[in-house]
Amino acid sequence: MFANFEEWLSSEAFAVFLVFARVGMVVSLLPGFGEIYVSSRIRLMLAGMLTLVLAPVVRTALPPLPASPTELSLLLTLEVGIGAFIGAAARMTFNALQTAGSIVGMQTSLSAALSFDPSTAQQGALTASFLGAVALIVLFAADFHHLMIRAIADSYTLFPPGQTFPAGDFAEAMTRLISSSFSLGVRMAAPFVIFGLIFFLGLGLLARLMPQMQVFFVSQPAQILLGLILLAGTIAAMIRVFLGSLEDSMAIFIVPPPSVLP
């Protein structure tokens, strides 16, 4: 009886730690949860609570306890890799805000106004930090963190533990995510690119028509003022486009519900 209890305890502990390997890696990378300014203890507690909730649900999808430590280490490494891929998918989409913020800063003459960006723990453009903060607030206000948690749970259906690691598919998907992240940032900042082209074209014509005019002293205040007005008018659309792309990046890990036939 003691041997059976010891075997049961080992298998249950193995299941919890196997789920924690994937969940913990995802939580450490997800936007909002895996930020540098979030305490590691809070992230650990969140990953532990999610593990305790998910472990009984996905228990049937888990493989049996490996017979050797080498197989156990390989299995845990695969779970960490899958978790890193899921978290990186959301993080790459979130990094599009840095690209958009940098473009907005250059076109509005605010790129030299640096501020501490808590998401990267380094100085960055003021507009990039502002867009990141607004996106995080809207992300939690719109319950998008529920979508990310559901993606973690459904990933056990798409990537069952113990199966062959799809390294080629993951590499191709990550390449697409990186390219789409840059494309998303440019699309979000497209109004400012057009604004910059028109504004500087007008300054060039004005400098040619009035050479004695100090264009720099006249243009910079106007550029900042018009850029801030444009930012106030377009920030809602920018965040809406960002949330749509984030939803698409998380939707690839979500299993659609079965259709109900009449």
Side-chain angles (χ1 to χ4, degrees):
M1 181 177 179
F2 181 77
N4 293 334
F5 175 76
E6 184 178 1
E7 181 181 354
W8 174 84
L9 185 61
S10 300
S11 61
E12 290 301 320
F14 161 73
V16 171
F17 279 107
L18 188 63
V19 174
F20 181 79
R22 180 183 298 193
V23 174
M25 192 63 193
V26 177
V27 171
S28 66
L29 293 175
L30 281 181
F33 300 113
E35 308 297 340
I36 298 177
Y37 52 81
V38 178
S39 173
S40 58
R41 295 181 180 179
I42 295 178
R43 282 181 282 178
L44 185 62
M45 290 175 58
L46 177 61
M49 289 187 293
L50 289 177
T51 300
L52 294 178
V53 172
L54 290 178
V57 178
V58 302
R59 183 67 178 85
T60 56
L62 301 180
L65 179 65
S68 64
T70 303
E71 295 178 358
L72 178 60
S73 300
L74 179 61
L75 184 59
L76 291 175
T77 302
L78 294 178
E79 287 300 293
V80 170
I82 294 175
F85 174 71
I86 298 173
R91 178 60 62 180
M92 286 299 174
T93 304
F94 198 81
N95 285 342
L97 295 170
Q98 299 293 327
T99 303
S102 299
I103 296 176
V104 171
M106 288 188 293
Q107 299 301 327
T108 58
S109 189
L110 293 174
S111 58
L114 301 179
S115 65
F116 179 76
D117 188 357
S119 62
T120 59
Q122 60 184 1
Q123 284 190 334
L126 181 63
T127 49
S129 302
F130 175 70
L131 287 178
V134 172
L136 275 180
I137 295 172
V138 177
L139 186 147
F140 285 101
D143 289 337
F144 265 73
H145 57 291
H146 295 168
L147 184 67
M148 295 187 290
I149 294 175
R150 181 182 174 185
I152 298 175
D154 288 355
S155 68
Y156 284 91
T157 303
L158 298 176
F159 310 111
Q163 302 295 324
T164 304
F165 187 77
D169 295 338
F170 279 7
E172 181 180 357
M174 187 57 63
T175 303
R176 292 180 179 179
L177 285 171
I178 294 174
S179 61
S180 63
S181 174
F182 180 78
S183 174
L184 173 62
V186 175
R187 285 188 285 116
M188 291 173 61
F192 294 89
V193 176
I194 299 174
F195 161 74
L197 290 175
I198 297 176
F199 184 80
F200 288 113
L201 179 61
L203 287 181
L205 293 176
L206 183 61
R208 296 292 294 178
L209 294 174
M210 302 179 62
Q212 71 277 11
M213 182 178 180
Q214 298 293 332
V215 177
F216 176 78
F217 294 102
V218 176
S219 64
Q220 192 167 19
Q223 184 182 6
I224 295 175
L225 178 61
L226 294 175
L228 292 178
I229 294 174
L230 182 60
L231 179 61
T234 59
I235 187 171
M238 294 170 66
I239 298 300
R240 190 179 299 114
V241 171
F242 164 73
L243 291 180
S245 298
L246 180 62
E247 182 178 7
D248 293 339
S249 64
M250 290 290 97
I252 61 178
F253 303 107
I254 296 177
V255 179
S259 57
V260 180
L261 298 178

